[in-house]
Structure formats: structure tokens, C-alpha cells
Amino acid sequence: METPRAELAANTHVHVPPNFSAFDTVSDAVASARREGMRAVGVSNFYDQSVYARFETEARAAGIVPLFGLEFITRDEGLAERGVRVNDPANPGRVYLCGKGINPLAPRSEHAQTTARAIREANDERAERMLATLQDYFRQQGAEVSLNAEDISREVAQRAEVPTAWVSLQERHIARAVYDAVDDPELLYGQAGEPASASEAQGVIRSRFLKAGTPGFVPEVPLSFADAHRYILDMQGIPTYPILADGAPEMSEVEWPPDSLIEWLREREIHAVELIPNRNASEVVDRYVRELSEAGFIVMAGTEHNTNDRIPVEPRAADGALGEGARAVFYDAACVIAAHQARCRRGEPGYVDATGKRAADLATLIAEGARLLERGGGDREAIARIAPRLRGAFATEDGPAVVVADPARDRDDYPSAAVLEYSTDDAALTDAAAMAAREGSSVVVVPDVAAFGIGTSVAAARAALAGRPAEEKRPTGRLAGKVAVVTGAAQGFGLGITEELLADGATVILADLNVPLAAANAERLNATFGADRALAVRIDVGDERSCLDAAAEVAQLTGGVDLFVSNAGVLRAESVLTQPVADFDLVTAVNYRGYFLTVRAFAPLMVSQHATDPSRWLDIVEVNSKSGLEGSKRNFAYAGSKFGGIGLTQSFALELVEYGIKVNAVCPGNYLDGPLWMDPERGLFVQYLRAGKVPGATSVDDVRAFYEAKVPMGRGCLPKDLARAIVYITEQSYETGQALPVTGGQNMLN
């Protein structure tokens, strides 16, 4: 029996660390949401969204649909001049504005990059000024305190278990630092005495020391409303107005009555609103929900969790539980956000378009999103077992099919599609895929799992799902129709390999920890090679969960993989007498363990594809190194990891050959023109110069000349040299377990 919508719960607005939060870590937030049975949770952080990838990984693992948002403090000069209050009762003209359903993987426009950088820099500068001012003030009062932005940021990062670079200090962080540093209740709280709780105490500190007219006040530098609105649209998000309502002592003239707010929002092309019901009376919540939803707005609910108080994750009103009508409307809105996110990632219109105007049908979005929330974002394990089998089953003489999965769609959307009943039995599932292929439909529906579009390219498969003719022709070249995954593809050798594989006809997934850079490069490459030929996914090759998630995402995006290139790697060069253990562990974790984890995650997709297309060889290629063929002085960690990589390659080859998978390694010489060597701070030229690896070298130029002189062909290895070797290996039907030097004659096969 279907659960009534009013009994389901979603939350579209929480702050997670390193933003100031009631939660200690992202894991803490996800665990709390899971305990309460939340179907979807939306993060909405200020200033920096680097933690979102971690949140997505952990939420999906918990069966929770992750929603992505952000929040701005903006200023409307016209309203400020007229003294009009909006959703900040103390500051006329100040407007809080949220973006919902943003795509954190989307390449950022120049405007978005500039805006994000300006916001972050302005906030960081403000925090440093506040701390310096407060430190001077407290010392004048006789309290010897140290309030240093770097120290506080490190403490915040340690508590949140994130890198310090992700921290942008907020007022609440500063209030907590003052609370911890100043041991004088009278100085902090005056005659009123110390509050009963830490949360109340920090609230008093903010009021007494950080607000206008107090010793530590530094004015914010708000973004213009227009710039914030544009930024949200640039991030493929939905501009959303957060309603304060009776959360303030007096409702603002813009917000009350609701029909006044409706007119104000329509003038600004805003079609979504959000309440934080725990600060509102239930009757006020009900009135806003009723009038705004009847006017065609989606109405969301969140909790913020931006104080120390551990309130429930499920939204509720200040005076108790929400009514059934409000709960149903809030849940529908979360469904819309989920569907909008999924559509935008596929390049389809969501709730609003790039100009902010309403686009897709609301009822359709609610239905699509409801399926996602019911399935926890989709049964990724089932999709990863089905999609590769469909690729093989629909293969032709020209190559495998491309399969795109859409968990938001089901049988009702495709009444004439082939239907495949899911089975956990491998043989039965393989037979079912073959039977579905014989029906010849371009869409296969697996009830309660997903709809699968079939085509000769990603664009064609997506067109099948959208019910429109495919405009894209099958790529040509030696790798035409093949899907390749390249790790570490955002830059350097990986990016160069990607470009060459695209030129040879492959569809390429750029898998990298730096998703924004990978996505920006994918967009650039698509302009050259065609729509959806290059796609970006996030992967941390040293993290098991991240590797499994990346493989699941590839299965959903393309159906599987024909060529997996393990390219991601790091290098730390130093003497065995002095190298920190942490550096050795990092190199080993990425280069050796990372190779194992990625093969472990992606090989099952290949095994499933081979089950329905046993005549075709699939390939795993490790980008090893000439340092995997001979030792490397003062570079033992890297050489050791690469020697180990060849051992893995040979062992994988012996095991996987029965599944039609060849496993080989290519061992390039030095890419002297790439960032690994050229980076002015961490590049190998600099590292080797500092480590004394080149006798007599006094400059980077000396180091470069030394390495060029070692190569009989007189130059470093280039990405095209390596890509040609990789393509050569894929064309060999009688080579596996080999390590092929690509070194210009510097290293030769024995």
C-alpha cells in the first residue's frame, strides 16, 4: 500500500559543517536524518560548498536523496532607500535569498566564478577584522585572549573532519571562539549573568559583541539581489525566497499578508518559497502554505540547524506538529527539487529554465521526484547490474549500445516500452536483458527500478527517454561506440588522454576529485566533439565508497564501460632518511590502493556486460611509469607504488581474462610539460631540485635538461604518445598482463 504523502518527511534546508551547525560532521547529519526516516535532505551552506560531494556520497549510502542549495545575504538598494523591510526585520532592504536544486557538478560561468570568489573573500576579510577588533577590545578589558582566524578555522575543520580550506568563518563560529576563549562571565554577559546553555550564551555574545553598535561589529558586504539571482540560475538552481513570517517580532510589509508577498515574488521571477516552520505558529504556516501553493508556488520546509540546539530533522511548527496539508505540500516541493536536479544533470529542463521562468510541468516533476524519494534516489545496485547487461544485449557489429538510466521514470511513462522484470539471479537477469533486446524497443522499463534509454551515443539514449528523435550520429574512429573512464582526467596526462580518446571516437568519463575542473573541461570538449561525448563524475580513488559511487554513476550515465584507464596518481619525492610517513602513505593510498579500489568497483560492470556480449574484449589499462620498471633514487614511494601496480596488473589479468577483460599497463616516460612537473610549488622539477635528486643542479632548468638528456628521442613523453599506446593495447586481442614502455627509448622491454 502506498504511504500517504502527509506521512512522508523531507527537509530542504539544513546547514552542515564546516558551516556553523548543530551537527558535528556530515556523517552526524546524515545519521540523524536516517534515524528519523527522512526521504530527502537538502544542504544549504553559505560561502563554500566543497563539502557537498561528501554529503552526496553519505546520503546516497543511507538511502536518502541529497538535495543541494545555497544561501545568500543580499541587498536591494531601492527597498533600502524606502525603508522597506523584507525578511530581515532589523535591516531595511536586506533580503535573504536561497537557491534550491543547484548542480554542484555544473561548470561555473565566469560570472558565477567571480561572484563566488568575491563572496568568499569578502566574508573571510570580515571575519578577520572582527576577530582582530575583538581581540584588541578584550585585551583592553584585561583579558589576555588570542582570537586568530587561522587557528579558529583549523579547530572548526578538525571538529567537522574536513580540510581547513573548506572553512569560511561565520559570526556563530566567532561567538563560539569568544565563548571558549574568554573566562569572565561578567565581561561576556554583564549583570544578567551567564545563560543556562552554551547556545544561549553564544547568542548573547553575538548580540553584545558582533551586532551593529557593539565592539566587534564589522558590516557585511551583501551581494546585490540581482547578482545572487543570476548566480543561482548559473548553477542551474531555483531562486527561492525564505519566509520569516512571525519568526520576527513584527511581520514585514512585504511578507504579510501572503497575497502581498505573492505579488512581490512574481515581480522578481521567483516561483519557490521556503519556510522554517520551527519559528512559526502552525496557523501561520498553514495560511502561507495554502495561499502560496494555490497561487502556483512550490513551498518547502527546512530546519536550518544553524545553532547548537539539536532539534529534530523533520520540520515542525513552533507550537507542535505540522498539519497533514502542509506536510503533503512540503513533501511535493522536495520531490520537485529532486526531479529538477536530476533533469538538469541530464541536460533537460527542470522546474525553471536558465532565465528563471517556469519550464517543466509541475505535476510531472512531482511524480518523477516522488519515485526518486521512494527509491532513495534510485536502486543504484540494481541499475549497475541491469545497465551493462543491456549494453551487451543491444550491441551490434558496430559496437556496444549506450544505455542511460532514469530512476524517476517508470512503466506509466512508456506504455509501449519493453519490460524487464528484475532478478537478483545473474543468469535470469542476463536472459531477461537478451529477451528485452529482441523486442527492439529503444526504451526498456524495469518496474520499481528505472527506465533505460538505448542508443548509439549518450545523446541518442537520452533522446529515447525524452521521446524525441536522436539527432546525434554515432561517432567514428577506432574507439567508436566505446565508453572509456579515465581517472585523474581533470588535467595533465589524464586530460590529454581524454582528448585523444575522444578524437578516436570514444565517449569519455572524466573521473576526478576536482569535479568543477573536470566538468569545465568536459563542457569545453563537448563543444569540439559533440554533445554528451565527455561527462564528469567525482571520484576519490583512495576511498572505497567514492569508487563504488563513481561506478554506479557511470552505470547510470552510460550503462557501463569498455575501457577503464587508471591514471590518477600522486608523487612525493624525498630521501628515505627524511620522507614523512604521511607522504609515503598518501602515495601508496592513491597509486597502489587506488588502482585496486577502482578496478574492484568498475570490473563488475564489465563482467555484467560480458555476460550478454561475450564476443567482445574489454580493457583495463593502468597508467604506470618507467619508475615501475626500474628503481628511482629519492623517489622510492612512487617507484614502489608503481612496481606494485605492475604486480596488480599481472594478477588482475590472470583472474579477469575469463570474463573477457584484458588488463595491461603502459609505462610512460616523463611528461615534462605537464602540471606534475611544471607546477611552481609542488611540481617535480621543484621537488627534485629541493631533494638534491639531480647532482649539481641549481635551477629548474638544470633539472629539466638533465631529464631530457636521458631520453634517446630527446624529449619528454606527451599525452598523445600515451593515448596511442592505450589504443594500441585495446586493439590487441592476444595481449594481457603486459607493461608497455612509452619512454622514447629510455626504458626497453627485457
Side-chain angles (χ1 to χ4, degrees), residues 38 194 221 488:
M38 305 300 294
E194 186 169 358
V221 183

Side-chain angles (χ1 to χ4, degrees), residues 14 42 144 161 187 205 257 274 307 355 361 377 396 448 461 477 587-588 623 632 663 668 739 742 747:
V14 298
E144 284 300 316
E161 299 176 3
L187 178 57
I205 290 169
E274 181 175 65
T307 71
T355 68
D361 175 69
T396 67
D448 299 323
V587 173
T588 305
V623 176
S632 184
V663 187
V742 190
N747 299 82

Side-chain angles (χ1 to χ4, degrees), residues 117-137:
R117 187 164 51 248
I119 294 168
R120 173 70 186 260
E121 289 174 354
N123 183 70
D124 290 349
E125 181 182 350
R126 177 176 182 252
E128 289 177 4
R129 289 176 58 196
M130 294 172 81
L131 287 165
T133 303
L134 284 171
Q135 180 172 274
D136 289 345
Y137 171 79

Side-chain angles (χ1 to χ4, degrees), residues 100-329:
K100 301 296 180 182
I102 67 165
N103 182 359
L105 299 181
R108 296 190 180 186
S109 68
E110 185 174 345
H111 171 266
Q113 292 180 53
T114 302
T115 301
R117 187 164 51 248
I119 294 168
R120 173 70 186 260
E121 289 174 354
N123 183 70
D124 290 349
E125 181 182 350
R126 177 176 182 252
E128 289 177 4
R129 289 176 58 196
M130 294 172 81
L131 287 165
T133 303
L134 284 171
Q135 180 172 274
D136 289 345
Y137 171 79
F138 286 122
R139 287 180 176 178
Q140 290 170 9
Q141 306 305 310
E144 284 300 316
V145 298
S146 175
L147 296 172
N148 178 273
E150 289 186 8
D151 293 341
I152 296 169
S153 294
R154 270 195 299 272
E155 291 174 8
V156 170
Q158 288 172 358
R159 285 196 299 267
E161 299 176 3
V162 301
T164 305
W166 294 5
V167 177
S168 189
L169 295 176
Q170 301 166 257
E171 281 188 14
R172 285 185 167 88
H173 289 128
I174 294 172
R176 178 171 181 166
V178 170
Y179 174 78
D180 291 339
V182 180
D183 189 21
D184 186 338
E186 185 174 348
L187 178 57
L188 287 180
Y189 314 113
Q191 298 300 317
E194 186 169 358
S197 70
S199 180
E200 292 173 347
Q202 291 167 32
V204 171
I205 290 169
R206 288 183 71 202
S207 298
R208 283 174 55 85
F209 297 103
L210 301 177
K211 297 302 182 182
T214 65
F217 174 71
V218 175
E220 291 169 323
V221 183
L223 195 63
S224 76
F225 184 89
D227 278 343
H229 191 271
R230 180 180 170 188
Y231 180 89
I232 292 166
L233 295 174
D234 280 351
M235 295 295 290
Q236 301 179 0
I238 302 167
T240 301
Y241 177 83
I243 300 172
L244 182 61
D246 58 332
E250 181 181 353
M251 293 199 205
S252 78
E253 52 265 52
V254 166
E255 290 192 347
W256 191 260
D259 57 2
S260 172
L261 177 60
I262 289 168
E263 181 181 354
W264 189 88
L265 294 172
R266 284 176 172 162
E267 290 173 354
R268 288 158 179 78
E269 202 71 72
I270 294 177
H271 307 284
V273 298
E274 181 175 65
L275 286 155
I276 307 297
N278 51 281
R279 62 191 181 198
N280 306 123
S282 56
E283 62 178 354
V284 174
V285 171
D286 288 343
R287 179 166 175 184
Y288 273 107
V289 168
R290 182 176 63 254
E291 296 193 23
L292 282 155
S293 59
E294 288 176 355
F297 292 80
I298 58 169
V299 187
M300 295 164 253
T303 53
E304 292 191 312
H305 275 82
N306 62 347
T307 71
N308 287 316
D309 297 330
R310 290 297 291 258
I311 61 176
V313 180
E314 181 179 345
R316 57 193 65 192
D319 53 356
L322 296 168
E324 288 188 3
R327 286 171 59 90
V329 168

Side-chain angles (χ1 to χ4, degrees), residues 6 52 257 365 396 417 473 580 620 700:
Y52 282 15
L365 290 172
T396 67
K473 295 181 180 179
I620 294 171
V700 164

Side-chain angles (χ1 to χ4, degrees), residues 104 162-163 199 239 242 246 298 323 352 362 384 442-443 469 518 522 557 572 606 613:
V162 301
S199 180
D246 58 332
I298 58 169
V352 298
L362 184 59
S442 61
V443 175
L557 288 171
R572 296 291 184 268
M606 295 176 157
D613 188 20

